[in-house]
Amino acid sequence: MSSEAEDLRNEILRLTARYAQLAHGAPPFNPARSPVPVSGKVYGAPEMVNLVDSALEFWLTTGRFNDEFEARLATVLESRYALTVNSGSSANLLAVTALTSPSLGRDALKPGDEVITCATGFPTTVNPILQNGLVPVFVDVSLPTYNIDITAMEAAVTPRTRAIVLAHTLGNPFDLGAVMALAQKHGLRVVEDCCDALGARYNGEAVGSFGEIGTLSFYPAHHITTGEGGAVFTKSSTHKRILESLRDWGRDCWCPPGNDNTCKKRFGWQLGGLPEGYDHKYIYSHLGYNLKMTDMQAAVGVKQLERLDGFIADRRANFATLYAGLKKFEEFLILPEATANAQPSWFGFPLTVRPGAPFTRDALVAHLHAARIATRYLFGGNLIHQPYMQGQNFRIAGATPNADLVMTSTFWIGVYPALGPAHINYMLGCFADFLTQAGR
């Protein structure tokens, strides 16, 4: 690059930082008209400068920014490998599909094998089980952690059970001690969906480091964002190799984009029914996809990671303030609790209207919406009742009364870092207005 081009690039980046400060600063909260979202992206000049820096290189596909992002991400996750993908849903697809890889031999999951999962949550935790011809076994949820009912898991195990796939609900780790003990007892594989739980810990260790594979989402609602995007991570070199192949068209070659002959015998392979010497760049060992992240997304992720500790602290502080302010209304509301031995990285603040309360969830939610306070249900509620589940091959392990209660009576509100004391106090005031009146 010429000195003139380098000078111009530096000027563009300087102006980009200035533009970000002028055009993307958050306005002060006004209780008369400001909305209170449940989630959203929090960013500034560093992210925008890195994004433009990447764009000026015009590499477009995965490149040096992605290499940096994956390396930093693996360190944060206390994992050996982290591979970025184009979404958290794709991350879950790769994680479950990897366990069906023929390269695992007799350990590979096969169609018809059962996988224990939670009856409540987001569909793309469960969908890859179905997409791979496996059978989800739904177990009830436990309140007030909103994670799988550990006491019901043992009874869900049959000779066909091969794996456990669970999400850490709203950033609250599930009981990893009990789950991993059950997995070890029965020889089950474990996938941790950490899409809502980046930064959460159990017994001081990062979530995602207990099972064979963990997953993340970087959608704008999540702890950090790259727009669209996600990641799979593992400590196993075998799983890393499979995940990378599945992500990159199913190829057997492991050359990075733009590189050739990393293996030093590009034309020296004989695999499958192909002739000896067939170009290794075009040998496919898996039925794969193209699920890579772009370098521009990764450039944003690099700078978002630098904010992660602050983001988590803000989420925990907002959660604590909401909990303290709503505790006096426990006669009406089931408040959330952290799993024992867990250090959550809260994604949201879940609430359940108690059976017998003098109002419904929908009435409380309508009151909050009228005050511009956004809410969300606990994703798909009891997934068994979703329209797309009709005709699917699944099993229900026992009754699911808590999942049904979540479906009819649970919602959550935001704790994300852009919400400051003014937002939180406004929310608490609106809750108090409704709940005080309801108690009369």
Side-chain angles (χ1 to χ4, degrees), residues 129-417:
I129 302 171
L130 295 166
Q131 289 164 329
N132 280 282
L134 307 170
V135 180
V137 178
F138 290 107
V139 176
D140 202 15
V141 69
S142 180
L143 275 61
T145 66
Y146 297 92
N147 284 306
I148 194 167
D149 183 356
I150 295 298
T151 64
M153 286 187 68
E154 180 75 47
V157 177
T158 73
R160 303 238 29 176
T161 307
R162 296 290 309 282
I164 300 169
V165 176
L166 295 173
H168 300 288
T169 306
L170 293 177
N172 188 20
F174 55 79
D175 188 340
L176 277 155
V179 169
M180 297 310 296
L182 184 72
Q184 184 174 14
K185 177 180 177 181
H186 296 283
L188 307 179
R189 327 294 289 277
V190 177
V191 170
E192 295 181 62
D193 179 344
C194 309
C195 289
D196 293 346
L198 178 58
R201 307 182 80 81
Y202 182 87
N203 275 343
E205 297 183 41
V207 297
S209 65
F210 293 80
E212 294 182 42
I213 303 173
T215 64
L216 289 172
S217 172
F218 304 135
Y219 192 70
H222 290 264
H223 287 66
I224 64 171
T225 187
T226 58
E228 301 291 348
V232 284
F233 54 102
T234 182
K235 294 179 180 178
S236 163
S237 58
T238 298
H239 290 335
K240 184 259 188 183
R241 179 82 180 86
I242 295 168
L243 291 163
E244 196 167 42
S245 174
L246 289 167
R247 181 193 66 177
D248 300 353
W249 307 285
R251 64 181 185 151
D252 197 75
C253 173
W254 56 86
C255 289
N259 290 270
D260 295 333
N261 206 27
T262 304
C263 65
K264 306 302 181 186
K265 56 173 188 173
R266 176 179 169 186
F267 298 101
W269 293 84
Q270 196 288 307
L271 296 173
L274 295 171
E276 186 172 353
Y278 199 84
D279 188 350
H280 194 223
K281 289 179 71 70
Y282 295 101
I283 297 177
Y284 303 92
S285 53
H286 291 93
L287 196 160
Y289 312 90
N290 178 9
L291 303 177
K292 296 190 299 297
M293 175 182 281
T294 68
D295 224 31
M296 292 180 289
Q297 291 171 295
V300 174
V302 167
K303 292 302 180 183
Q304 283 275 287
L305 266 184
E306 295 176 2
R307 297 175 182 256
L308 179 60
D309 288 346
F311 285 168
I312 295 170
D314 289 344
R315 287 175 176 274
R316 288 173 174 163
N318 286 341
F319 183 96
T321 303
L322 285 170
Y323 190 94
L326 292 172
K327 190 166 179 57
K328 58 179 171 286
F329 299 113
E330 282 190 291
E331 64 177 304
F332 303 129
L333 302 173
I334 299 174
L335 301 187
E337 289 183 12
T339 301
N341 303 313
Q343 300 81 46
S345 177
W346 292 106
F347 183 71
F349 192 100
L351 290 161
T352 299
V353 176
R354 291 186 184 275
F359 58 90
T360 65
R361 171 190 65 186
D362 295 347
L364 176 53
V365 164
H367 170 78
L368 296 173
H369 281 197
R372 301 172 309 284
I373 299 171
T375 63
R376 296 289 185 272
Y377 290 171
L378 189 54
F379 307 124
N382 190 342
L383 294 172
I384 297 162
H385 299 299
Q386 286 288 340
Y388 85 98
M389 290 300 295
Q390 296 179 21
Q392 301 287 355
N393 185 19
F394 63 87
R395 183 166 68 83
I396 307 170
T400 58
N402 286 338
D404 288 339
L405 181 63
V406 164
M407 181 172 59
T408 62
S409 303
T410 298
F411 68 101
W412 59 275
I413 54 178
V415 297
Y416 82 110

Side-chain angles (χ1 to χ4, degrees), residues 4-17:
E4 183 180 3
E6 184 67 28
D7 289 344
L8 182 57
R9 180 177 189 151
N10 290 335
E11 179 64 8
I12 290 170
L13 298 180
R14 185 189 68 79
L15 290 173
T16 298

